[in-house]
Amino acid sequence: MRVSELQRERKSYQPKMPNVLKGKLHAVKGEPTESVADQERVKELFPYTYGMPSITFEEGENAGAKHEAINVGVLLSGGQAPGGHNVIAGIFDGIKALNPQSRLYGFLMGPSGLIEHKYIELTDEIIDEYRNTGGFDMIGSGRTKLETKDQFDSGLEILRELGISALVIVGGDDSNTNACVLAEYYKSIDAGVQVIGCPKTIDGDLKNEQIETSFGFDTATKVYSEIIGNIERDCNSARKYWHFIKVMGRSASHIALECALQTQPNICLISEEVEEKKQSLSQIVEYIASIVTKRAAEGNNFGVALIPEGLIEFIPSMRSLISELNDLLAKEGDGFARTPKEEQLEFIASRLSAENAETFRSLPDTVAFQIAGERDPHGNVQVSLIETEKLLSGMVAKKLAEWKKEGKYEGSFKTQHHFLGYEGRCAAPSNFDADYCYTLGFTASKLIEAGLTGYMSSVQNLTREVSQWIAGGTPITMMFNIERRGGKDKPVIRKALVDLEGAPFREFESHREEWSKETAFVYPGPIQYWGPSSVCDRPTKTILLEHK
Ligand code: FBP
């Protein structure tokens, strides 16, 4: 692999770790836990891993530590997030510190590597090449769902063959849900394999009282904010375009909100608010058009609007359309695929209920095709493929043309479109993510050492200095509730959407009126890896506000 100068220098960065992980420690058990909802149902489904206590590591003698060599497996699941390689490095260093003969195996391309027995042994040389780098390319990632007994048994075969007694699954809410199901199954058959989860996703929606943030959110939002700031500066220099910028985050709007707090754009939509206020597409369009009109009246025919990727699914009429479409495509997907392209939209419209058919027919063809496109393995609409930014700017242009005729708007509306997603997911991790990920990995090795299973590695106190971070483990069942998925009730980790009563949204809400009128742009600039700690180590505004 060719190595850049930055990478060469960055390789020698030694991630900071909480003091507690530096010496001898022991696991302190908290009270028995309960799931966030549906306690009886979840307890019934997870008799072996329900109710376990939270774990906090404290300084002191290692109690009951196993010092013999252990073999551990790791796999990366789902979308890339900056810092994944440091999680692996943390596990590696952790198990080697326990016993230098310990071995770490990486399953290739996500859960499918476990099922299909594709793996590599991760040696010192490999690990060193990837320390503090972005990406998941050390072992690759994938979205195969790990959920059937056959898959679990096939996984167990290779784990046994390699003498692996613990598996770390690095993933988002769905992957950690499956990690818990796997932990439960292996415990129920006394397989002798521990399963530990690790909270990953740039979307920031795997968080709760125990998990303060998922890794990758910090770096990805800093990368997007840098780019948004650059666009804002260009926008404020030329003063002739409205920039519509869609940002990733499949469902939750945490990314959009964090970027708005960092860059102060004129408009930022928050999907959760749209849902709460039951806003229609035309109301959203009018909201944007009215801001464009007010700015035009001041001679400002330019601006920046942030659109969260998942918006479309939070507009009630679109949500209802998508849900009917999901069922329809599940049943008649083959028929749809066989239909000639020019008849496909009508194939769908004619099979929908009257109300949803009307919504579907009102969409531009390109967007209608995108909404009817292929689902991901978890059954999600692939919102990253839907060009919401173009849909909205097109509809705003139409509205402004109407208002112009009525004498309500005087101005010019020229647009540029951007989608910020993939460019942030593999960035070199910020100091925060480099430290956090390494600590998560090291903590996972300590949970393994303590003989635990069905736990997620959890690190708290993240707005303090790293030395004061608290390392421990949270039983995954604690995060469960029952949700309707694919027509069935399933135990899943509850996704954290933007809390409209929470401090980050409140902060945004208190400023958005001012930001919409004035040009209050902030240009955060690129992530810094060396320099003053106030610049290099600062966490996101979201976590700072949440833990004020
Ligand atoms: P995870 O939840 O798996 O971390 O992935 C998040 C994400 O980056 C979303 O923001 C985005 O909608 C999706 O992945 C894109 O998926 P893909 O990489 O399969 O195109």
Side-chain angles (χ1 to χ4, degrees):
M1 184 168 68
R2 293 260 172 106
V3 175
S4 71
E5 289 307 320
L6 171 73
Q7 228 170 290
R8 200 187 315 279
E9 289 298 324
R10 189 65 178 157
K11 207 162 124 175
S12 57
Y13 177 75
Q14 181 52 50
K16 299 186 277 302
M17 270 218 294
N19 286 342
V20 70
L21 294 181
K22 291 180 188 158
K24 289 195 167 160
L25 53 78
H26 65 284
V28 177
K29 290 184 182 167
E31 294 299 311
T33 57
E34 296 222 298
S35 59
V36 283
D38 309 305
Q39 291 81 8
E40 285 312 312
R41 295 283 308 281
V42 179
K43 190 176 176 181
E44 230 172 78
L45 293 165
F46 293 87
Y48 292 89
T49 53
Y50 188 86
M52 301 184 300
S54 292
I55 297 294
T56 308
F57 290 115
E58 289 184 6
E59 286 173 35
E61 268 324 293
N62 295 32
K66 320 186 253 186
H67 287 287
E68 71 271 25
I70 47 171
N71 290 356
V72 172
V74 60
L75 64 86
L76 302 170
S77 181
Q80 286 68 254
H85 290 153
N86 270 23
V87 174
I88 299 178
I91 303 170
F92 183 84
D93 291 349
I95 62 169
K96 290 282 182 187
L98 188 63
N99 184 318
Q101 302 307 317
S102 297
R103 290 173 159 204
L104 182 62
Y105 293 92
F107 289 98
L108 302 177
M109 303 312 292
S112 63
L114 178 71
I115 302 162
E116 294 162 14
H117 303 185
K118 295 189 177 136
Y119 64 89
I120 51 168
E121 182 176 349
L122 298 170
T123 58
D124 258 320
E125 208 184 5
I126 299 176
I127 297 286
D128 282 350
E129 196 179 327
Y130 287 93
R131 286 183 194 270
N132 307 308
T133 58
F136 278 6
D137 44 327
M138 183 201 289
I139 52 173
S141 183
R143 290 198 183 276
T144 301
K145 255 179 124 171
L146 200 52
E147 58 175 357
T148 66
K149 184 176 170 305
D150 284 353
Q151 292 174 329
F152 299 168
D153 290 338
S154 168
L156 190 55
E157 255 174 54
I158 189 67
L159 294 172
R160 285 202 166 131
E161 195 180 311
L162 297 171
I164 291 175
S165 59
L167 175 68
V168 182
I169 297 186
V170 181
D173 51 343
D174 285 332
S175 309
N176 275 286
T177 293
N178 297 339
C180 191
V181 176
L182 188 65
E184 175 74 21
Y185 177 67
Y186 285 167
K187 207 166 170 186
S188 74
I189 60 166
D190 213 3
V193 178
Q194 300 160 245
V195 183
I196 300 294
C198 205
K200 169 238 69 168
T201 177
I202 60 159
D203 294 0
D205 55 9
L206 173 45
K207 66 174 166 183
N208 46 52
E209 279 184 20
Q210 294 73 33
I211 307 296
E212 295 182 3
T213 187
S214 54
F215 79 76
F217 178 71
D218 184 272
T219 309
T221 52
K222 282 175 181 157
V223 171
Y224 302 144
S225 296
E226 179 204 351
I227 302 172
I228 294 164
N230 294 349
I231 293 171
E232 286 179 337
R233 201 149 209 170
D234 193 286
C235 176
N236 196 23
S237 303
R239 305 195 178 183
K240 61 177 180 182
Y241 292 125
W242 266 91
H243 291 264
F244 281 72
I245 309 175
K246 182 175 82 165
V247 289
M248 254 190 187
R250 184 189 295 112
S251 306
S253 306
H254 299 293
I255 294 181
L257 180 56
E258 171 64 23
C259 292
L261 292 169
Q262 287 195 35
T263 63
Q264 305 186 180
N266 306 104
I267 296 168
C268 175
L269 301 176
I270 299 296
S271 307
E272 291 81 347
E273 188 184 24
V274 165
E275 183 176 47
E276 165 94 2
K277 294 186 171 164
K278 300 194 171 39
Q279 288 175 327
S280 64
L281 194 52
S282 58
Q283 281 170 325
I284 297 170
V285 168
E286 285 204 13
Y287 168 72
I288 301 175
S290 68
I291 291 175
V292 173
T293 303
K294 278 186 206 147
R295 284 182 62 80
E298 302 287 319
N300 295 326
N301 287 297
F302 65 95
V304 168
L306 298 191
I307 320 289
E309 182 185 53
L311 177 75
I312 213 97
E313 286 194 281
F314 285 76
I315 300 170
S317 59
M318 296 297 291
R319 168 161 286 189
S320 144
L321 165 64
I322 288 170
S323 133
E324 193 179 347
L325 255 178
N326 286 349
D327 291 347
L328 177 68
L329 290 170
K331 273 193 239 132
E332 302 203 38
D334 290 347
F336 172 71
R338 281 196 306 272
T339 305
K341 178 123 186 170
E342 58 285 5
E343 291 164 28
Q344 278 185 330
L345 295 183
E346 202 36 47
F347 175 95
I348 286 178
S350 62
R351 286 165 172 78
L352 290 170
S353 63
E355 207 174 313
N356 288 335
E358 194 185 329
T359 311
F360 190 68
R361 288 197 174 101
S362 73
L363 298 171
D365 286 2
T366 41
V367 177
F369 272 116
Q370 287 158 3
I371 285 183
E374 211 181 300
R375 271 46 184 160
D376 79 2
H378 295 272
N380 301 310
V381 177
Q382 299 193 52
V383 281
S384 62
L385 303 178
I386 301 173
E387 293 175 314
T388 329
E389 69 284 18
K390 292 192 182 153
L391 171 72
L392 286 177
S393 81
M395 292 177 80
V396 169
K398 263 196 196 163
K399 183 55 60 189
L400 291 171
E402 271 170 44
W403 286 357
K404 205 167 224 173
K405 275 192 203 148
E406 294 165 16
K408 291 188 198 158
Y409 163 74
E410 210 43 67
S412 85
F413 182 65
K414 286 194 278 182
T415 52
Q416 295 288 351
H417 302 99
H418 315 264
F419 170 36
L420 303 181
Y422 298 97
E423 39 287 84
R425 297 198 312 184
C426 282
S430 61
N431 284 356
F432 176 87
D433 271 328
D435 299 342
Y436 181 41
C437 290
Y438 187 80
T439 303
L440 282 170
F442 205 91
T443 302
S445 78
K446 292 291 163 195
L447 293 169
I448 294 169
E449 183 185 349
L452 300 163
T453 190
Y455 278 78
M456 192 182 289
S457 174
S458 77
V459 180
Q460 298 171 334
N461 224 14
L462 295 172
T463 52
R464 302 283 173 80
E465 277 197 11
V466 180
S467 57
Q468 293 170 42
W469 287 359
I470 297 166
T474 301
I476 302 179
T477 49
M478 204 179 163
M479 304 169 201
F480 274 3
N481 67 164
I482 303 284
E483 287 177 21
R484 197 98 187 131
R485 296 275 176 96
K488 287 188 191 138
D489 282 348
K490 292 222 158 148
V492 291
I493 292 178
R494 184 190 269 173
K495 209 185 253 307
L497 299 178
V498 168
D499 176 5
L500 301 181
E501 300 300 322
F505 180 77
R506 287 266 184 244
E507 173 75 7
F508 164 70
E509 198 182 24
S510 68
H511 290 291
R512 70 173 151 192
E513 172 80 16
E514 168 202 334
W515 298 348
S516 73
K517 286 194 211 126
E518 288 161 26
T519 304
F521 300 157
V522 173
Y523 317 123
I527 293 176
Q528 301 294 312
Y529 299 99
W530 296 274
S533 178
S534 58
V535 178
C536 300
D537 299 325
R538 87 193 140 82
T540 58
K541 294 205 182 259
T542 301
I543 198 170
L544 285 171
L545 286 161
E546 281 172 344
H547 295 271
K548 216 170 174 178

